[in-house]
Amino acid sequence: METSSAMAPDIQREHWRGSVALKLELHPDEVTTVPPPEPLFVLAPRLGYLPQVAEQALEHFGSVLPPGEDEVWFEYQGVPLKWHIPTGSLFDLLAGGRGGYPWCLTVHFRSYPRDALQPLEGDGVQASYFNSLKEAAYVLTGSSSSVMTLTKASQQELWQNVLEAKDEEFFSNLSKMDLTRPTRSRIPVRVYCREKVFDSFTGWKSVEYASKSVVLDSEDAEDLTPRGVLQRCLGVALDGEAGSGREVVAAGVELESDTNLANVYPHLKNADMWLYLVVRPSSRA
């Protein structure tokens, strides 16, 4: 993914403005009216998180819910969805390339599955985001102090930039933390690999996960490619007979197995400064 410096701001802007069309249906067990409510159609920011649409969902479905405390969670193919994974990466991993659009999810407000999902309380999404940003800061600079020493006001301003997909304001604020000028020759990469159908039988057991600090000045150019990263992290092949039927995607963009990730990272990194690579069965298989 080679791009000119003139194109870079446009790519970044489109990346930040990207969204996933969702069709939300309330679980039948939580419907108290006949007929049931109509589905809710909503655009969810790719760089955001599913709980961001919770307020719209509650406004739409709230009048038909049974008595109880509202605890929103989302389900796909009978499996609770992990809310701390960016929405775009979730879609790419579980439904992208399958032709189904909008992405049809079931929304719940009761019976939160604490055995399957991290608890989501108060500012939990924001806290999870900053924890992820701290980890990225350590990879990029060797220290997470630039994030840890942010004032409450600065944290809130940065988080608001993410919620509103304001990329220019976000990177302007980020520049004060030196994260736009990394002092180490490394980039943070997260990998999610799905080999099988994702459903109530396989669930999250069908997904492998790894995070890696990719060294940019490695003597072996292979280390900077999806092929090299996946082989080292998960032992997953992308080429040859062993790798047939797989594709790798970043921010909805399919990458060649020999793509230089150093060229991809500046344009397609997430708002938490991680580059998310998704490996899934090929849509052409």
Side-chain angles (χ1 to χ4, degrees):
M1 183 175 176
E2 306 254 347
T3 57
S4 70
S5 58
M7 291 174 59
D10 292 334
I11 295 174
Q12 176 181 288
R13 189 174 302 113
E14 290 304 310
H15 176 41
W16 271 68
R17 291 179 180 176
S19 59
V20 177
L22 303 180
K23 177 185 178 183
L24 302 180
E25 296 183 317
L26 185 62
H27 193 276
D29 289 350
E30 300 180 21
V31 176
T32 62
T33 61
V34 178
E38 293 292 322
L40 172 65
F41 293 88
V42 63
L43 290 176
R46 284 192 64 94
L47 273 67
Y49 304 86
L50 282 177
Q52 284 179 238
V53 302
E55 186 174 339
Q56 290 169 271
L58 182 58
E59 182 178 337
H60 184 79
F61 296 115
S63 63
V64 306
L65 292 173
E69 183 180 355
D70 298 324
E71 294 183 290
V72 68
W73 56 284
F74 300 85
E75 173 189 309
Y76 177 62
Q77 303 284 62
V79 183
L81 294 180
K82 301 189 178 196
W83 55 263
H84 65 279
I85 301 175
T87 301
S89 297
L90 267 180
F91 173 74
D92 292 341
L93 176 66
L94 305 180
R98 298 177 62 177
Y101 209 67
W103 192 18
C104 298
L105 303 181
T106 300
V107 60
H108 296 256
F109 294 92
R110 302 289 184 267
S111 304
Y112 192 91
R114 285 175 170 74
D115 59 333
L117 298 180
Q118 296 180 28
L120 177 57
E121 300 173 350
D123 296 329
V125 180
Q126 180 177 342
S128 176
Y129 165 78
F130 278 104
N131 281 335
S132 188
L133 186 63
K134 281 189 290 187
E135 293 173 0
Y138 184 82
V139 174
L140 292 166
T141 68
S143 171
S144 56
S145 61
S146 59
V147 180
M148 296 176 66
T149 56
L150 282 174
T151 65
K152 287 289 184 182
S154 296
Q155 285 187 32
Q156 194 57 44
E157 184 177 6
L158 199 65
W159 179 237
Q160 203 61 36
N161 295 155
V162 175
L163 293 180
E164 298 175 2
K166 292 184 176 179
D167 60 304
E168 292 184 5
E169 291 87 340
F170 174 84
F171 285 105
S172 175
N173 286 319
L174 206 67
S175 66
K176 304 170 188 175
M177 302 159 55
D178 292 329
L179 291 188
T180 55
R181 298 184 297 278
T183 57
R184 304 171 81 200
S185 185
R186 297 172 182 268
I187 57 173
V189 177
R190 284 185 170 143
V191 181
Y192 288 92
C193 178
R194 178 175 63 84
E195 297 277 8
K196 304 174 183 177
V197 172
F198 183 87
D199 57 25
S200 58
F201 178 73
T202 59
W204 287 101
K205 297 192 296 283
S206 67
V207 177
E208 291 186 89
Y209 165 76
S211 61
K212 183 171 178 60
S213 170
V214 176
V215 180
L216 297 181
D217 54 7
S218 171
E219 295 181 0
D220 188 351
E222 183 76 0
D223 292 342
L224 293 176
T225 67
R227 180 173 54 224
V229 169
L230 293 166
Q231 184 63 50
R232 286 178 177 272
C233 285
L234 298 174
V236 172
L238 284 180
D239 294 325
E241 184 176 346
S244 62
R246 295 189 183 110
E247 61 189 16
V248 59
V249 174
V253 179
E254 186 176 351
L255 304 180
E256 298 293 334
S257 62
D258 60 353
T259 300
N260 189 322
L261 295 179
N263 296 329
V264 174
Y265 178 80
H267 309 293
L268 299 183
K269 61 182 177 292
N270 214 67
D272 60 0
M273 301 300 284
W274 286 85
L275 178 66
Y276 287 78
L277 296 183
V278 164
V279 183
R280 66 193 186 198
S282 174
S283 56
R284 296 182 295 275

